[in-house]
Amino acid sequence: MPVDVDGLVAQVGQGRPRAVARVISLVENGAPELRAVMAGLSARESRDRGAPRVARVIGLTGAPGVGKSTCASMLVRAFRRRGPTVGVLAVDPSSPFTGGALLGDRVRMQEHAGDAKVFIRSMAGRGHLGGLARATPQALRVLEAAGCEVVLVETVGVGQDEVDIASLADTVLVLLAPGMGDDIQAAKAGVLEVADVFAVNKADRDGASATLRELRTMVALSDRPWRPPIVPTVAIEDKGGDDLMAALDRHHAHCARSGQLDARRRARVLAEIEAIALVALRSRFDELRGDRRLSELAQRVLDGHTDPYGAADDLIGSLP
Amino acid sequence: MPVDVDGLVAQVGQGRPRAVARVISLVENGAPELRAVMAGLSARESRDRGAPRVARVIGLTGAPGVGKSTCASMLVRAFRRRGPTVGVLAVDPSSPFTGGALLGDRVRMQEHAGDAKVFIRSMAGRGHLGGLARATPQALRVLEAAGCEVVLVETVGVGQDEVDIASLADTVLVLLAPGMGDDIQAAKAGVLEVADVFAVNKADRDGASATLRELRTMVALSDRPWRPPIVPTVAIEDKGGDDLMAALDRHHAHCARSGQLDARRRARVLAEIEAIALVALRSRFDELRGDRRLSELAQRVLDGHTDPYGAADDLIGSLP
């Protein structure tokens, strides 16, 4: 199907869900038309509003099973009560191959299906080179152009994602749950450094107070200037949502005051530009694929005539 | 501490564990001396043996809790009974920040601690740009130069890693366990396409036969020319090891016969060269960090004077 760039750009600007979904698919697939569409969206925003709109971005991460979708749904509900249009990007890196999202738990978001001011989109995090890094900022840009004032970016927190989110979000919300075992233990060390707010979900379960206590100790030991609030929630019963919103707002106000908000948004744009540039360079590599020179390079390394660094120099030198 | 490149190269060639560990640390940190060390290792291998030795590489992946380390330990035992020197690279992407590995379960490998012909190394998968992709092939190269004839590369199977492993290993072994819930369900769709051999570990548990049955159905529906064997194991009791080794050998023989082994090894080298080249290009971006031009670029995007693609073109154009 040919892509009607101008039509898509206009329809995204009107917040039409199908156009938004279509453009995010182009983003996911790294479609050739993407460049024109993104340029069109930027131009349209600049024309109509002076500059592209920027959403409040909340990153939501945590291990599988802590209740991220349920918590996201609770936050969507809370933000919608305040009025703004809300987007949710659920990035699932566990599905590198399937074309669409196969998140069964997206059903937990069904309650918002009838709300024209809620955009929900799952993305599979394919391609480590810029998978999440390339696609998410651009999908975010699409949601912003569609009028989303708040966007929740939800990912499975398994390590690098947290860092990617941190470079992307105004506020990073890390979800934990009691009794998740050693994996959480290991994860904590990493997430502590990127979390702006913690929620201990399923706080009605055994072990919740231990998890809260432990987390408080870890936070107290940290020397970051912002001390992340720790909020107990039971998202499935809509409990703790007000406290969580208050904590998120507190961090947002802190960032706005300290100039961090601008800094984070600038970093987000820089990361986006770099990711696009790297993908462009990478695609120049791909143009060499199948090229006899490339297999010769590999063979030279296998034969011991050169080492991988020397071969990499040759590769860079022969970029088209 | 200054790096004695020649000394390290010689000691790695002699299979000295401390030198091996030191060089893998250089790999992890992307140390500036790395290039000289890797060139030295390649030159030494070529001088002494005509070409660098190539290990049999088995990728081992699966969700947290399926028993990867226990299974790896069982395989180390089995390979060691046959004679060859064995390496284990345990890549843990869940720890992006900590300098070393904090895998508590490395204790399950303790039984091999006294065996001079077993090299075990944990690596944290930092930096999505080439973290695992850059470091693992090079660490593998170090183990090969140290005389490892078999290397197990163990990673937490959470998506992209499986793909990275697939591009790296001669044989990809995917571990499952009964009763892991929906996460496994989601993972299966992805791993099915990269798995060369499946092990259903903890096969003495409830639900094992259901998992086996389900997996058999999925494998039967696949149209890949190689149909992955499915082996039940109870690694903690050393059960199923012989069957698993037989399945791994069967796949290895199949790959050798079909020419796939050479193809995979060539692909491994190509991926390594590309990763090094991308890191080199990326570091040129980093040289621009703090450069006024870069913040101006970001500001131009924020102001709507250009879009991220245009900015990326400018960035590439201004690479040092």
Side-chain angles (χ1 to χ4, degrees):
Chain A
M1 192 159 55
V3 177
D4 169 12
V5 171
D6 294 341
L8 274 181
V9 167
Q11 286 168 32
V12 167
Q14 292 154 14
R16 301 269 196 86
R18 289 182 64 168
V20 171
R22 182 85 200 281
V23 173
I24 295 183
S25 294
L26 297 180
V27 168
E28 276 189 306
N29 300 327
E33 297 85 359
L34 191 56
R35 187 182 178 120
V37 174
M38 297 306 281
L41 289 177
S42 278
R44 187 180 209 277
E45 288 279 292
S46 298
R47 192 194 66 208
D48 292 356
R49 305 168 200 274
R53 287 170 287 182
V54 178
R56 175 172 172 189
V57 179
I58 297 170
L60 180 69
T61 191
V66 296
K68 286 183 296 298
S69 299
T70 316
C71 184
S73 197
M74 177 172 77
L75 288 174
V76 169
R77 220 176 292 134
F79 277 112
R80 285 293 295 127
R81 277 197 294 268
R82 294 182 180 178
T85 302
V86 179
V88 179
L89 280 178
V91 182
D92 180 13
S94 75
S95 175
F97 288 104
T98 48
L102 44 71
L103 287 173
D105 60 349
R106 238 31 35 201
V107 294
R108 281 165 215 158
M109 293 290 206
Q110 287 284 352
E111 65 167 289
H112 307 292
D115 186 340
K117 293 199 150 195
V118 177
F119 294 83
I120 295 173
R121 172 72 186 210
S122 295
M123 296 203 303
R126 275 162 300 174
H128 76 272
L129 189 91
L132 179 63
R134 177 187 60 77
T136 310
Q138 294 196 65
L140 189 55
R141 206 167 266 288
V142 176
L143 291 175
E144 287 170 335
C148 292
E149 293 153 81
V150 176
V151 179
L152 307 178
V153 179
E154 174 194 335
T155 77
V156 181
V158 284
Q160 194 51 48
D161 288 338
E162 283 108 29
V163 186
D164 289 339
I165 287 187
S167 77
L168 195 75
D170 300 332
T171 299
V172 178
L173 168 59
V174 173
L175 241 71
L176 300 170
M180 296 295 292
D182 290 344
D183 292 317
I184 277 286
Q185 285 304 111
K188 267 182 201 163
V191 297
L192 188 64
E193 297 170 56
V194 296
D196 299 310
V197 176
F198 284 104
V200 174
N201 196 29
K202 308 188 181 182
D204 53 347
R205 294 216 181 156
D206 282 352
S209 54
T211 302
L212 284 164
R213 198 166 48 234
E214 202 180 334
L215 205 49
R216 279 185 196 119
T217 308
M218 292 182 80
V219 166
L221 290 173
S222 158
D223 52 3
R224 289 173 60 198
W226 168 258
R227 187 153 295 191
I230 300 166
V231 185
T233 58
V234 186
I236 198 124
E237 297 174 14
D238 207 17
K239 281 183 188 156
D242 291 343
D243 290 345
L244 187 52
M245 289 290 280
L248 294 171
D249 287 345
R250 203 137 44 86
H251 179 258
H252 195 258
H254 162 82
C255 281
R257 234 177 6 244
S258 66
Q260 256 210 64
L261 198 58
D262 284 340
R264 286 188 184 213
R265 285 169 176 186
R266 195 183 304 271
R268 189 152 91 212
V269 173
L270 268 183
E272 182 184 3
I273 297 171
E274 281 195 6
I276 292 172
L278 277 171
V279 169
L281 290 169
R282 173 66 178 259
S283 76
R284 296 193 194 171
F285 289 172
D286 288 342
E287 286 172 34
L288 288 179
R289 285 253 175 214
D291 191 305
R292 201 169 37 86
R293 279 174 302 174
L294 215 55
S295 7
E296 280 171 10
L297 264 187
Q299 196 57 51
R300 283 174 55 76
V301 173
L302 283 167
D303 293 343
H305 295 315
T306 187
D307 65 282
Y309 282 85
D313 287 344
D314 287 353
L315 176 59
I316 292 175
S318 64
L319 279 183
Chain B
M1 189 160 54
V3 176
D4 168 14
V5 171
D6 294 339
L8 274 180
V9 167
Q11 285 168 29
V12 166
Q14 293 154 12
R16 300 267 196 88
R18 290 183 65 168
V20 171
R22 183 85 201 281
V23 173
I24 295 183
S25 293
L26 298 179
V27 168
E28 277 189 306
N29 301 327
E33 297 86 358
L34 191 55
R35 187 182 178 120
V37 173
M38 297 306 281
L41 289 177
S42 278
R44 187 180 208 276
E45 288 278 293
S46 298
R47 192 195 64 206
D48 293 354
R49 305 167 201 274
R53 286 171 285 181
V54 177
R56 176 173 172 188
V57 180
I58 297 170
L60 180 68
T61 191
V66 296
K68 287 183 294 300
S69 299
T70 317
C71 184
S73 196
M74 177 172 76
L75 288 174
V76 170
R77 219 177 293 134
F79 277 113
R80 286 293 296 126
R81 276 198 293 268
R82 294 182 179 179
T85 302
V86 179
V88 179
L89 281 178
V91 183
D92 180 14
S94 74
S95 175
F97 287 107
T98 47
L102 46 70
L103 289 173
D105 60 349
R106 236 32 33 197
V107 294
R108 281 166 215 156
M109 293 289 206
Q110 288 284 353
E111 64 166 290
H112 307 293
D115 186 340
K117 294 201 149 192
V118 176
F119 294 83
I120 296 173
R121 173 71 188 211
S122 296
M123 297 203 302
R126 276 160 297 172
H128 77 274
L129 187 89
L132 180 62
R134 177 187 59 76
T136 310
Q138 294 196 64
L140 189 54
R141 206 167 265 288
V142 177
L143 291 174
E144 287 170 333
C148 291
E149 291 153 81
V150 176
V151 178
L152 307 178
V153 180
E154 174 195 335
T155 76
V156 181
V158 286
Q160 193 52 45
D161 289 337
E162 284 107 28
V163 186
D164 289 339
I165 285 186
S167 77
L168 194 74
D170 300 331
T171 298
V172 177
L173 168 59
V174 173
L175 241 71
L176 300 169
M180 297 295 291
D182 291 345
D183 292 316
I184 277 286
Q185 286 303 113
K188 267 183 202 161
V191 297
L192 187 62
E193 298 172 56
V194 296
D196 300 310
V197 175
F198 283 106
V200 174
N201 196 29
K202 307 187 183 183
D204 53 347
R205 294 217 181 152
D206 282 353
S209 54
T211 303
L212 283 164
R213 199 165 48 235
E214 203 181 332
L215 205 49
R216 279 187 196 118
T217 308
M218 293 182 80
V219 166
L221 291 172
S222 158
D223 52 4
R224 289 174 60 199
W226 169 257
R227 187 152 296 191
I230 300 167
V231 184
T233 57
V234 187
I236 197 125
E237 297 174 15
D238 206 19
K239 282 183 187 156
D242 291 341
D243 289 346
L244 187 52
M245 289 290 280
L248 294 171
D249 288 343
R250 206 139 41 89
H251 179 259
H252 195 257
H254 162 82
C255 281
R257 237 179 359 247
S258 66
Q260 257 209 65
L261 198 58
D262 283 341
R264 286 188 184 213
R265 287 172 174 184
R266 196 181 305 269
R268 188 152 93 212
V269 172
L270 268 183
E272 181 184 2
I273 297 171
E274 282 195 6
I276 292 173
L278 278 171
V279 169
L281 290 169
R282 173 66 179 260
S283 76
R284 297 193 194 172
F285 289 172
D286 288 343
E287 286 171 34
L288 287 179
R289 286 254 172 213
D291 190 305
R292 201 168 38 85
R293 279 174 301 174
L294 215 55
S295 11
E296 280 171 10
L297 264 187
Q299 196 57 51
R300 284 175 55 77
V301 173
L302 284 166
D303 292 343
H305 296 314
T306 187
D307 65 283
Y309 283 84
D313 288 343
D314 287 353
L315 176 59
I316 292 175
S318 64
L319 278 184

